[in-house]
Amino acid sequence: MPRDIPPLAEVRRITEKKRDAWWTVMLVDPVATPLVRWIARYTRATPNQLTWGAFLVGLGSAACFAQGDWRWLLLGAVLYHVSFIFDCMDGKLARLTGTGSVFGAWLDFVFDRIRVLVCSVALMAGQYTRTDDVLYLWLALGVTFLDALRYIDSLEIFKIRHGMRKQIKARMRAARKAENRAELAFMEDLLRENPKADLETDHDTVAPLEPVAPREPVAALEATSALEATSGPVSALDPVSVPVPAPRRPAVVDLHQEFRRRFPWWVRCRNFLQRHRIRAHLISGIEFQMGVFIIGPAIDAVVATTVVSGVLLLVFELAIIYKFLLSTRDFTRTINSFEAAEERVPATTSVNS
């Protein structure tokens, strides 16, 4: 009996990321999302089963690559794309059915890395067998190295950025605890939740994320006492008008302020891409894999596409590292501003006393 699954539009909202690689948005999601809805409705397949399916199809792609002939290369490219569609479907199915797991995330990551390794060795070994050109052996090493570099770099940057955000939040909580003021927010989070924002610095577009300050019991008691002092005791049945604090905007910390100031044109490009659900990192590990394992074999130009894909990946990775460097400077300035404020507080207290 078919399960009760939402309509396709709702499934897209639940399963598709707000920002994703352009290859995924244009060439994978239009196929993967309807398939996920069908699988969730008519089968009992699990996300881990789809992960295994993606891995096995990827091994079939590697077997085709190893043959070396162009017709096999073309079949291998098709199978690799099918494998990637399955690889995207496991996460979508997990989000749609709520059946995701930590082990499933680990399995997906490990199988992805093994698939890239096996396919790169098979593709380049097949071409080496066909041509006796040792360049293909170096290319196999290069593809494996660049894939590992991409994911190691992204994980390390993520870890350090998480640490920076954690430090800023701790400083902000300590500074605002006594004032009962709104917590802070990070500009990148506001923009992620509002992908249609027109300007990086337009706070009005991120207003829905403002926390509403609750009415404090102490403030209510103070207001009641003041009312009793002017008009006598207040009965429990008497309506008491207690002023409610107005909603406060969170303090917005922008750890990419210097990058945006140096490259204002990139803000416009990013806004255009994000309106179409495409992330600004145009050449990531996904596009690199597609260039090496799909475009190259399909047009029988493995060397050219591998070199071009590798160069573009390095360019974008260096851009990310440069952006990260500027972000660390913004972080240092933010921390220094907290320290300067802390130094001013004791000075003000001693003068008042």
Side-chain angles (χ1 to χ4, degrees), residues 26 44 60 63 77 157 182 191 199 247 252 307 317 335 346:
M26 296 180 178
R44 297 294 176 179
I157 288 179
L191 294 170
L199 295 174
V252 178
V307 171
E317 287 304 306
I335 293 296

Side-chain angles (χ1 to χ4, degrees), residues 40-58:
R41 187 174 185 183
Y42 295 105
T43 74
R44 297 294 176 179
T46 66
N48 285 351
Q49 289 173 344
L50 290 182
T51 302
W52 274 99
F55 180 65
L56 294 176
V57 175

Side-chain angles (χ1 to χ4, degrees), residues 221-278:
L221 290 175
E222 290 176 352
T224 304
S225 300
L227 189 59
E228 289 177 343
T230 57
S231 59
V234 178
S235 169
L237 299 178
D238 293 334
V240 178
S241 177
V242 179
V244 179
R248 298 177 182 269
R249 286 188 184 277
V252 178
V253 176
D254 188 359
L255 292 181
H256 300 296
Q257 184 176 0
E258 185 171 346
F259 179 83
R260 295 188 180 99
R261 186 172 62 249
R262 294 193 180 195
F263 305 99
W265 55 269
W266 182 244
V267 175
R268 294 187 293 271
C269 294
R270 175 200 171 280
N271 289 337
F272 172 79
L273 293 172
Q274 190 150 309
R275 282 194 293 269
H276 295 81
R277 209 167 58 84
I278 297 174

